[in-house]
Amino acid sequence: MIATAAASGALVAGSPGGKPIPMPAPLHSSFQVDPPVTPSVPPEPYHNTKPPPNPVIRPEPTGSPGRALPPDPPLPSSCKVEGLPIGTAKSADVTAGDPTGRILVGRTEPVARGELDVLVWRDGKLIDRVKQRGDPGTMTDVNRSGIAVGGRSGEFPSALWYQEGMVRRLGGYDYGTAIAINDAGMIAGTYEFNGQTRPQRWSSPTAYRPEVMPLINGHTGGRAWDIDEAGTTLVTLDGGPAHEQTYLWFADGSIQKITTPPSLDPAKRQTFKAGAFHFGWVYGEMAFSDSATGLTIGRQTYRYEPASGTWQAVYDPAGTGQVPTPTDVLDLARSEASVVIGRTAYALPPGSTKKADVLLNVVSEDGRVVAGATGGQPNQATVWHCT
């Protein structure tokens, strides 16, 4: 997903440490399938692995008066909307984009029993269409090197990655999905099996197996939502006696809790549902409920700055602003095209002459490229270029 948090050390496209990821020679046809992955030693079943050592728990920031917050990109003055080429497909949507917005990935026929071929665009031109073997997967994030990640859902989910015309399975456990990738090649995802979930991450697309997140504070499961350029994974842990709670899982293995700010109204309780990193902030939805009955009485987009612990409400009086995320946690198609840029919901020109749903899955780090789908049935892969 898009993130602007600074990494510690230089980022090298492709893989950490500056070593290129070994790739097989590309085939002449872009219609390729993923070859089976057969490690020399099968990974140990997830439930038999030793739990990770007790992690370091970082204290939450208490606020830094006068500390400069990450700058927001300026809001666009105008935007131009256009449909992306989809070849012979009848419909398609955009599911992810790199931080610049130049590389976009999507899928064909995004409906029940649709083909779901992987589509790749660069600078508005369709450069690849990849058929997949077996149950098709969806790519949910892509980095500047053009490496995309995603997964197959269903009874037997699996984590996938794409590069140069091929879709492969990630190494490790047979169950779960990849969700997000940063420019250094680190990948965040969620292990899923028999009702059990756990955040996990790979050091690179060619890593033998993922690292699983240790569970703390009585939680029994959890999910990953995004990863930033420093390798920090945004997760939610749940289950057990503890309430659902958002955490930051840092690259060094330490963990920091994100505590929801206290409600200004004692009659209201508020909970935060995290979605993604954007512009150096964690974005999500704050739900307000009645303290006595527990019934939800309102929702609003909020953002959290991890270094200072600063919370800010997003200005969205119409309640139509969408926050693009690698997962569907905050994705709700709306009849208006409006995307959150910085602290403001910005209205985009409609992507269709007829009234149609709009789902936005991409906003570039400079706020100048937005992409997603319009139309509903059939879907039209759509991009907005702003100035």
Side-chain angles (χ1 to χ4, degrees):
M1 203 56 183
I2 314 303
T4 57
S8 55
L11 297 179
V12 180
S15 63
K19 296 181 180 179
I21 296 173
M23 298 294 302
L27 303 181
H28 294 295
S29 170
S30 63
F31 292 80
Q32 300 169 29
V33 297
D34 55 315
V37 176
T38 308
S40 56
V41 179
E44 188 176 5
Y46 175 86
H47 56 274
N48 290 337
T49 58
K50 295 180 180 179
N54 293 330
V56 173
I57 306 300
R58 294 193 186 188
E60 296 180 66
T62 56
S64 304
R67 182 187 179 278
L69 297 173
D72 288 329
L75 292 176
S77 57
S78 64
C79 299
K80 179 182 178 182
V81 59
E82 60 181 337
L84 289 165
I86 59 175
T88 59
K90 296 180 181 178
S91 66
D93 60 4
V94 177
T95 56
D98 82 319
T100 69
R102 295 183 59 195
I103 303 174
L104 303 174
V105 296
R107 56 188 178 175
T108 64
E109 322 300 346
V111 294
R113 295 181 296 278
E115 289 181 337
L116 300 183
D117 295 348
V118 175
L119 299 178
V120 183
W121 297 269
R122 184 185 292 271
D123 296 327
K125 297 180 179 179
L126 182 64
I127 62 171
D128 208 354
R129 177 176 177 175
V130 183
K131 290 187 177 294
Q132 302 177 70
R133 182 178 57 187
D135 293 332
T138 297
M139 297 296 129
T140 53
D141 200 12
V142 60
N143 66 13
R144 297 174 201 258
S145 299
I147 302 173
V149 298
R152 296 186 178 105
S153 58
E155 184 178 2
F156 302 105
S158 57
L160 306 172
W161 66 291
Y162 160 92
Q163 188 180 36
E164 297 180 352
M166 294 191 73
V167 176
R168 306 167 177 81
R169 288 174 57 186
L170 285 163
Y173 313 112
D174 292 334
Y175 304 99
T177 59
I179 292 169
I181 183 171
N182 65 15
D183 285 338
M186 295 182 66
I187 300 166
T190 299
Y191 169 87
E192 303 176 49
F193 179 70
N194 198 27
Q196 182 183 18
T197 61
R198 188 87 161 261
Q200 60 184 1
R201 62 187 176 198
W202 292 259
S203 59
S204 75
T206 56
Y208 179 65
R209 66 169 61 175
E211 172 191 8
V212 295
M213 181 180 178
L215 299 177
I216 61 174
N217 295 338
H219 295 293
T220 59
R223 291 183 176 275
W225 304 117
D226 203 355
I227 190 168
D228 72 4
E229 298 303 345
T232 301
T233 306
L234 178 64
V235 307
T236 296
L237 298 184
D238 53 28
H243 292 292
E244 183 177 289
Q245 176 64 51
T246 303
Y247 294 90
L248 297 173
W249 181 24
F250 294 93
D252 64 3
S254 59
I255 297 173
Q256 178 184 306
K257 182 180 180 181
I258 297 180
T259 298
T260 303
S263 174
L264 299 178
D265 184 349
K268 295 180 181 179
R269 179 175 177 266
Q270 53 195 47
T271 55
F272 181 68
K273 179 185 290 185
F277 290 108
H278 287 294
F279 319 118
W281 297 72
V282 172
Y283 282 75
E285 181 185 77
M286 194 76 75
F288 302 91
S289 59
D290 186 284
S291 298
T293 64
L295 297 176
T296 300
I297 56 179
R299 302 177 188 275
Q300 185 175 359
T301 301
Y302 268 71
R303 65 179 188 172
Y304 172 83
E305 202 278 307
S308 66
T310 301
W311 285 93
Q312 291 181 346
V314 169
Y315 181 71
D316 183 15
T320 58
Q322 296 186 47
V323 177
T325 66
T327 68
D328 294 332
V329 63
L330 301 179
D331 291 349
L332 293 174
R334 312 271 170 79
S335 57
E336 299 87 2
S338 178
V339 64
V340 172
I341 299 176
R343 199 181 177 181
T344 305
Y346 177 80
L348 298 162
S352 173
T353 56
K354 61 181 181 180
K355 191 173 182 63
D357 286 342
V358 179
L359 181 60
L360 304 177
N361 287 322
V362 178
V363 59
S364 63
E365 62 185 1
D366 62 1
R368 291 301 179 263
V369 180
V370 181
T374 59
Q377 298 291 339
N379 282 7
Q380 171 61 54
T382 306
V383 63
W384 288 259
H385 291 284
C386 304
T387 57

mmCIF file of all heavy atoms in Angstrom, residues 347-386:
data_model
loop_
_atom_site.group_PDB
_atom_site.id
_atom_site.type_symbol
_atom_site.label_atom_id
_atom_site.label_comp_id
_atom_site.label_asym_id
_atom_site.label_seq_id
_atom_site.Cartn_x
_atom_site.Cartn_y
_atom_site.Cartn_z
ATOM 1 N N ALA A 347 -13.453 15.593 -3.811
ATOM 2 C CA ALA A 347 -14.419 15.101 -4.794
ATOM 3 C C ALA A 347 -13.763 15.014 -6.167
ATOM 4 O O ALA A 347 -13.170 15.975 -6.660
ATOM 5 C CB ALA A 347 -15.625 16.016 -4.841
ATOM 6 N N LEU A 348 -13.885 13.842 -6.798
ATOM 7 C CA LEU A 348 -13.366 13.600 -8.138
ATOM 8 C C LEU A 348 -14.485 13.719 -9.160
ATOM 9 O O LEU A 348 -15.654 13.519 -8.834
ATOM 10 C CB LEU A 348 -12.754 12.197 -8.226
ATOM 11 C CG LEU A 348 -11.570 11.905 -7.318
ATOM 12 C CD1 LEU A 348 -11.361 10.401 -7.190
ATOM 13 C CD2 LEU A 348 -10.314 12.575 -7.840
ATOM 14 N N PRO A 349 -14.144 13.988 -10.435
ATOM 15 C CA PRO A 349 -15.203 13.972 -11.452
ATOM 16 C C PRO A 349 -15.743 12.558 -11.615
ATOM 17 O O PRO A 349 -15.012 11.585 -11.444
ATOM 18 C CB PRO A 349 -14.476 14.453 -12.714
ATOM 19 C CG PRO A 349 -13.037 14.188 -12.468
ATOM 20 C CD PRO A 349 -12.838 14.354 -10.984
ATOM 21 N N PRO A 350 -17.023 12.412 -11.926
ATOM 22 C CA PRO A 350 -17.598 11.074 -12.053
ATOM 23 C C PRO A 350 -16.929 10.280 -13.166
ATOM 24 O O PRO A 350 -16.514 10.832 -14.183
ATOM 25 C CB PRO A 350 -19.074 11.335 -12.338
ATOM 26 C CG PRO A 350 -19.119 12.717 -12.894
ATOM 27 C CD PRO A 350 -18.011 13.467 -12.213
ATOM 28 N N GLY A 351 -16.838 8.971 -12.967
ATOM 29 C CA GLY A 351 -16.199 8.120 -13.967
ATOM 30 C C GLY A 351 -17.163 7.582 -14.990
ATOM 31 O O GLY A 351 -16.786 6.810 -15.867
ATOM 32 N N SER A 352 -18.436 7.958 -14.893
ATOM 33 C CA SER A 352 -19.441 7.467 -15.826
ATOM 34 C C SER A 352 -20.512 8.521 -15.996
ATOM 35 O O SER A 352 -20.780 9.312 -15.089
ATOM 36 C CB SER A 352 -20.056 6.159 -15.305
ATOM 37 O OG SER A 352 -21.133 5.748 -16.117
ATOM 38 N N THR A 353 -21.124 8.564 -17.184
ATOM 39 C CA THR A 353 -22.197 9.515 -17.427
ATOM 40 C C THR A 353 -23.481 9.092 -16.729
ATOM 41 O O THR A 353 -24.359 9.901 -16.493
ATOM 42 C CB THR A 353 -22.465 9.648 -18.938
ATOM 43 O OG1 THR A 353 -22.743 8.339 -19.475
ATOM 44 C CG2 THR A 353 -21.263 10.237 -19.642
ATOM 45 N N LYS A 354 -23.575 7.813 -16.396
ATOM 46 C CA LYS A 354 -24.742 7.338 -15.670
ATOM 47 C C LYS A 354 -24.385 7.178 -14.195
ATOM 48 O O LYS A 354 -23.219 7.024 -13.824
ATOM 49 C CB LYS A 354 -25.228 6.002 -16.237
ATOM 50 C CG LYS A 354 -24.198 4.893 -16.151
ATOM 51 C CD LYS A 354 -24.741 3.594 -16.751
ATOM 52 C CE LYS A 354 -23.706 2.475 -16.649
ATOM 53 N NZ LYS A 354 -24.203 1.212 -17.214
ATOM 54 N N LYS A 355 -25.385 7.215 -13.350
ATOM 55 C CA LYS A 355 -25.157 7.055 -11.918
ATOM 56 C C LYS A 355 -24.680 5.633 -11.661
ATOM 57 O O LYS A 355 -25.343 4.665 -12.029
ATOM 58 C CB LYS A 355 -26.429 7.341 -11.133
ATOM 59 C CG LYS A 355 -26.209 7.466 -9.626
ATOM 60 C CD LYS A 355 -27.478 7.922 -8.947
ATOM 61 C CE LYS A 355 -27.271 8.100 -7.451
ATOM 62 N NZ LYS A 355 -26.287 9.157 -7.146
ATOM 63 N N ALA A 356 -23.503 5.489 -11.064
ATOM 64 C CA ALA A 356 -22.922 4.160 -10.871
ATOM 65 C C ALA A 356 -22.059 4.171 -9.626
ATOM 66 O O ALA A 356 -21.553 5.215 -9.202
ATOM 67 C CB ALA A 356 -22.084 3.757 -12.092
ATOM 68 N N ASP A 357 -21.890 2.997 -9.049
ATOM 69 C CA ASP A 357 -21.036 2.878 -7.877
ATOM 70 C C ASP A 357 -19.576 3.111 -8.257
ATOM 71 O O ASP A 357 -19.140 2.804 -9.371
ATOM 72 C CB ASP A 357 -21.183 1.492 -7.256
ATOM 73 C CG ASP A 357 -22.504 1.340 -6.517
ATOM 74 O OD1 ASP A 357 -23.110 2.373 -6.202
ATOM 75 O OD2 ASP A 357 -22.913 0.198 -6.272
ATOM 76 N N VAL A 358 -18.810 3.647 -7.301
ATOM 77 C CA VAL A 358 -17.390 3.904 -7.492
ATOM 78 C C VAL A 358 -16.635 3.274 -6.327
ATOM 79 O O VAL A 358 -16.988 3.486 -5.163
ATOM 80 C CB VAL A 358 -17.087 5.425 -7.527
ATOM 81 C CG1 VAL A 358 -15.596 5.664 -7.712
ATOM 82 C CG2 VAL A 358 -17.892 6.097 -8.626
ATOM 83 N N LEU A 359 -15.619 2.474 -6.630
ATOM 84 C CA LEU A 359 -14.766 1.887 -5.599
ATOM 85 C C LEU A 359 -13.330 2.277 -5.892
ATOM 86 O O LEU A 359 -12.788 1.938 -6.952
ATOM 87 C CB LEU A 359 -14.902 0.365 -5.581
ATOM 88 C CG LEU A 359 -14.066 -0.369 -4.517
ATOM 89 C CD1 LEU A 359 -14.446 0.098 -3.116
ATOM 90 C CD2 LEU A 359 -14.246 -1.878 -4.632
ATOM 91 N N LEU A 360 -12.709 3.010 -4.958
ATOM 92 C CA LEU A 360 -11.358 3.519 -5.149
ATOM 93 C C LEU A 360 -10.372 2.650 -4.383
ATOM 94 O O LEU A 360 -10.503 2.487 -3.168
ATOM 95 C CB LEU A 360 -11.275 4.974 -4.679
ATOM 96 C CG LEU A 360 -12.280 5.926 -5.342
ATOM 97 C CD1 LEU A 360 -12.164 7.323 -4.750
ATOM 98 C CD2 LEU A 360 -12.083 5.953 -6.857
ATOM 99 N N ASN A 361 -9.378 2.103 -5.078
ATOM 100 C CA ASN A 361 -8.392 1.222 -4.458
ATOM 101 C C ASN A 361 -6.969 1.776 -4.473
ATOM 102 O O ASN A 361 -6.068 1.144 -3.911
ATOM 103 C CB ASN A 361 -8.396 -0.143 -5.163
ATOM 104 C CG ASN A 361 -9.623 -0.962 -4.828
ATOM 105 O OD1 ASN A 361 -10.095 -0.940 -3.693
ATOM 106 N ND2 ASN A 361 -10.165 -1.662 -5.814
ATOM 107 N N VAL A 362 -6.770 2.934 -5.112
ATOM 108 C CA VAL A 362 -5.413 3.481 -5.247
ATOM 109 C C VAL A 362 -5.440 4.994 -5.055
ATOM 110 O O VAL A 362 -6.312 5.676 -5.608
ATOM 111 C CB VAL A 362 -4.813 3.171 -6.640
ATOM 112 C CG1 VAL A 362 -3.424 3.795 -6.776
ATOM 113 C CG2 VAL A 362 -4.756 1.674 -6.898
ATOM 114 N N VAL A 363 -4.490 5.509 -4.266
ATOM 115 C CA VAL A 363 -4.164 6.924 -4.268
ATOM 116 C C VAL A 363 -2.653 7.010 -4.155
ATOM 117 O O VAL A 363 -2.042 6.377 -3.295
ATOM 118 C CB VAL A 363 -4.866 7.709 -3.134
ATOM 119 C CG1 VAL A 363 -4.509 7.165 -1.749
ATOM 120 C CG2 VAL A 363 -4.528 9.195 -3.225
ATOM 121 N N SER A 364 -2.021 7.741 -5.057
ATOM 122 C CA SER A 364 -0.558 7.836 -5.061
ATOM 123 C C SER A 364 -0.071 8.670 -3.896
ATOM 124 O O SER A 364 -0.835 9.429 -3.274
ATOM 125 C CB SER A 364 -0.063 8.427 -6.383
ATOM 126 O OG SER A 364 -0.549 9.753 -6.540
ATOM 127 N N GLU A 365 1.227 8.555 -3.586
ATOM 128 C CA GLU A 365 1.775 9.250 -2.428
ATOM 129 C C GLU A 365 1.762 10.760 -2.583
ATOM 130 O O GLU A 365 1.829 11.487 -1.589
ATOM 131 C CB GLU A 365 3.197 8.763 -2.148
ATOM 132 C CG GLU A 365 4.174 9.044 -3.273
ATOM 133 C CD GLU A 365 5.543 8.447 -3.009
ATOM 134 O OE1 GLU A 365 5.716 7.810 -1.957
ATOM 135 O OE2 GLU A 365 6.437 8.621 -3.862
ATOM 136 N N ASP A 366 1.661 11.259 -3.825
ATOM 137 C CA ASP A 366 1.563 12.710 -4.022
ATOM 138 C C ASP A 366 0.128 13.162 -4.240
ATOM 139 O O ASP A 366 -0.127 14.347 -4.497
ATOM 140 C CB ASP A 366 2.442 13.161 -5.194
ATOM 141 C CG ASP A 366 2.037 12.542 -6.531
ATOM 142 O OD1 ASP A 366 1.055 11.766 -6.565
ATOM 143 O OD2 ASP A 366 2.716 12.813 -7.541
ATOM 144 N N GLY A 367 -0.831 12.225 -4.148
ATOM 145 C CA GLY A 367 -2.229 12.565 -4.304
ATOM 146 C C GLY A 367 -2.635 12.949 -5.709
ATOM 147 O O GLY A 367 -3.724 13.516 -5.908
ATOM 148 N N ARG A 368 -1.814 12.611 -6.705
ATOM 149 C CA ARG A 368 -2.091 13.032 -8.078
ATOM 150 C C ARG A 368 -2.647 11.921 -8.958
ATOM 151 O O ARG A 368 -3.049 12.181 -10.094
ATOM 152 C CB ARG A 368 -0.814 13.623 -8.712
ATOM 153 C CG ARG A 368 -0.388 14.954 -8.095
ATOM 154 C CD ARG A 368 -1.504 15.966 -8.245
ATOM 155 N NE ARG A 368 -1.200 17.276 -7.657
ATOM 156 C CZ ARG A 368 -1.577 17.671 -6.461
ATOM 157 N NH1 ARG A 368 -2.257 16.838 -5.678
ATOM 158 N NH2 ARG A 368 -1.316 18.876 -6.020
ATOM 159 N N VAL A 369 -2.669 10.688 -8.478
ATOM 160 C CA VAL A 369 -3.243 9.579 -9.235
ATOM 161 C C VAL A 369 -4.187 8.809 -8.323
ATOM 162 O O VAL A 369 -3.820 8.441 -7.206
ATOM 163 C CB VAL A 369 -2.162 8.624 -9.784
ATOM 164 C CG1 VAL A 369 -2.811 7.471 -10.560
ATOM 165 C CG2 VAL A 369 -1.173 9.367 -10.677
ATOM 166 N N VAL A 370 -5.394 8.592 -8.782
ATOM 167 C CA VAL A 370 -6.400 7.800 -8.068
ATOM 168 C C VAL A 370 -6.933 6.771 -9.057
ATOM 169 O O VAL A 370 -7.092 7.064 -10.248
ATOM 170 C CB VAL A 370 -7.546 8.688 -7.545
ATOM 171 C CG1 VAL A 370 -8.568 7.859 -6.784
ATOM 172 C CG2 VAL A 370 -6.996 9.810 -6.664
ATOM 173 N N ALA A 371 -7.196 5.560 -8.599
ATOM 174 C CA ALA A 371 -7.681 4.525 -9.511
ATOM 175 C C ALA A 371 -8.600 3.566 -8.784
ATOM 176 O O ALA A 371 -8.551 3.420 -7.564
ATOM 177 C CB ALA A 371 -6.510 3.760 -10.147
ATOM 178 N N GLY A 372 -9.443 2.903 -9.551
ATOM 179 C CA GLY A 372 -10.375 1.936 -8.997
ATOM 180 C C GLY A 372 -11.292 1.413 -10.074
ATOM 181 O O GLY A 372 -10.851 1.077 -11.169
ATOM 182 N N ALA A 373 -12.580 1.375 -9.773
ATOM 183 C CA ALA A 373 -13.553 0.851 -10.725
ATOM 184 C C ALA A 373 -14.846 1.645 -10.627
ATOM 185 O O ALA A 373 -15.225 2.123 -9.563
ATOM 186 C CB ALA A 373 -13.832 -0.627 -10.462
ATOM 187 N N THR A 374 -15.514 1.797 -11.757
ATOM 188 C CA THR A 374 -16.813 2.441 -11.805
ATOM 189 C C THR A 374 -17.766 1.546 -12.586
ATOM 190 O O THR A 374 -17.340 0.709 -13.389
ATOM 191 C CB THR A 374 -16.738 3.818 -12.497
ATOM 192 O OG1 THR A 374 -16.245 3.646 -13.835
ATOM 193 C CG2 THR A 374 -15.806 4.757 -11.752
ATOM 194 N N GLY A 375 -19.028 1.698 -12.325
ATOM 195 C CA GLY A 375 -20.012 1.039 -13.174
ATOM 196 C C GLY A 375 -20.784 -0.078 -12.549
ATOM 197 O O GLY A 375 -21.955 -0.258 -12.862
ATOM 198 N N GLY A 376 -20.173 -0.887 -11.698
ATOM 199 C CA GLY A 376 -20.883 -2.010 -11.101
ATOM 200 C C GLY A 376 -20.991 -3.190 -12.031
ATOM 201 O O GLY A 376 -20.215 -4.118 -11.972
ATOM 202 N N GLN A 377 -21.953 -3.224 -12.928
ATOM 203 C CA GLN A 377 -22.127 -4.324 -13.876
ATOM 204 C C GLN A 377 -22.339 -3.754 -15.280
ATOM 205 O O GLN A 377 -23.430 -3.305 -15.602
ATOM 206 C CB GLN A 377 -23.322 -5.190 -13.467
ATOM 207 C CG GLN A 377 -23.188 -5.857 -12.129
ATOM 208 C CD GLN A 377 -22.131 -6.941 -12.116
ATOM 209 O OE1 GLN A 377 -21.759 -7.459 -13.163
ATOM 210 N NE2 GLN A 377 -21.644 -7.287 -10.938
ATOM 211 N N PRO A 378 -21.339 -3.779 -16.186
ATOM 212 C CA PRO A 378 -19.986 -4.300 -15.944
ATOM 213 C C PRO A 378 -19.089 -3.259 -15.290
ATOM 214 O O PRO A 378 -19.366 -2.055 -15.367
ATOM 215 C CB PRO A 378 -19.500 -4.606 -17.362
ATOM 216 C CG PRO A 378 -20.184 -3.578 -18.208
ATOM 217 C CD PRO A 378 -21.543 -3.363 -17.587
ATOM 218 N N ASN A 379 -18.002 -3.719 -14.680
ATOM 219 C CA ASN A 379 -17.030 -2.812 -14.070
ATOM 220 C C ASN A 379 -16.112 -2.232 -15.133
ATOM 221 O O ASN A 379 -15.726 -2.915 -16.087
ATOM 222 C CB ASN A 379 -16.170 -3.560 -13.042
ATOM 223 C CG ASN A 379 -16.904 -3.762 -11.736
ATOM 224 O OD1 ASN A 379 -18.078 -3.462 -11.626
ATOM 225 N ND2 ASN A 379 -16.204 -4.282 -10.743
ATOM 226 N N GLN A 380 -15.738 -0.980 -14.943
ATOM 227 C CA GLN A 380 -14.772 -0.333 -15.819
ATOM 228 C C GLN A 380 -13.561 0.094 -14.998
ATOM 229 O O GLN A 380 -13.695 0.858 -14.031
ATOM 230 C CB GLN A 380 -15.371 0.901 -16.494
ATOM 231 C CG GLN A 380 -14.369 1.762 -17.252
ATOM 232 C CD GLN A 380 -13.685 1.022 -18.390
ATOM 233 O OE1 GLN A 380 -14.352 0.466 -19.251
ATOM 234 N NE2 GLN A 380 -12.355 1.003 -18.394
ATOM 235 N N ALA A 381 -12.383 -0.437 -15.346
ATOM 236 C CA ALA A 381 -11.146 -0.003 -14.698
ATOM 237 C C ALA A 381 -10.915 1.470 -15.022
ATOM 238 O O ALA A 381 -10.892 1.848 -16.206
ATOM 239 C CB ALA A 381 -9.974 -0.853 -15.166
ATOM 240 N N THR A 382 -10.751 2.279 -13.987
ATOM 241 C CA THR A 382 -10.761 3.726 -14.155
ATOM 242 C C THR A 382 -9.593 4.363 -13.423
ATOM 243 O O THR A 382 -9.210 3.917 -12.344
ATOM 244 C CB THR A 382 -12.087 4.310 -13.622
ATOM 245 O OG1 THR A 382 -13.194 3.642 -14.236
ATOM 246 C CG2 THR A 382 -12.186 5.799 -13.895
ATOM 247 N N VAL A 383 -9.031 5.425 -14.023
ATOM 248 C CA VAL A 383 -7.948 6.173 -13.385
ATOM 249 C C VAL A 383 -8.231 7.666 -13.499
ATOM 250 O O VAL A 383 -8.788 8.129 -14.501
ATOM 251 C CB VAL A 383 -6.575 5.824 -14.013
ATOM 252 C CG1 VAL A 383 -6.499 6.209 -15.472
ATOM 253 C CG2 VAL A 383 -5.426 6.445 -13.217
ATOM 254 N N TRP A 384 -7.886 8.394 -12.436
ATOM 255 C CA TRP A 384 -7.977 9.847 -12.430
ATOM 256 C C TRP A 384 -6.568 10.419 -12.372
ATOM 257 O O TRP A 384 -5.783 10.064 -11.466
ATOM 258 C CB TRP A 384 -8.772 10.342 -11.226
ATOM 259 C CG TRP A 384 -10.244 10.102 -11.266
ATOM 260 C CD1 TRP A 384 -11.225 10.996 -11.590
ATOM 261 C CD2 TRP A 384 -10.943 8.888 -10.923
ATOM 262 N NE1 TRP A 384 -12.465 10.425 -11.490
ATOM 263 C CE2 TRP A 384 -12.323 9.125 -11.077
ATOM 264 C CE3 TRP A 384 -10.512 7.620 -10.503
ATOM 265 C CZ2 TRP A 384 -13.279 8.153 -10.830
ATOM 266 C CZ3 TRP A 384 -11.459 6.649 -10.259
ATOM 267 C CH2 TRP A 384 -12.831 6.909 -10.422
ATOM 268 N N HIS A 385 -6.215 11.305 -13.290
ATOM 269 C CA HIS A 385 -4.930 12.011 -13.265
ATOM 270 C C HIS A 385 -5.211 13.458 -12.870
ATOM 271 O O HIS A 385 -6.003 14.151 -13.529
ATOM 272 C CB HIS A 385 -4.240 11.953 -14.633
ATOM 273 C CG HIS A 385 -3.765 10.585 -15.001
ATOM 274 N ND1 HIS A 385 -2.631 10.014 -14.456
ATOM 275 C CD2 HIS A 385 -4.279 9.650 -15.834
ATOM 276 C CE1 HIS A 385 -2.449 8.809 -14.937
ATOM 277 N NE2 HIS A 385 -3.437 8.550 -15.778
ATOM 278 N N CYS A 386 -4.567 13.903 -11.800
ATOM 279 C CA CYS A 386 -4.865 15.218 -11.231
ATOM 280 C C CYS A 386 -3.653 16.136 -11.311
ATOM 281 O O CYS A 386 -2.508 15.695 -11.346
ATOM 282 C CB CYS A 386 -5.304 15.053 -9.766
ATOM 283 S SG CYS A 386 -6.734 13.936 -9.534
#
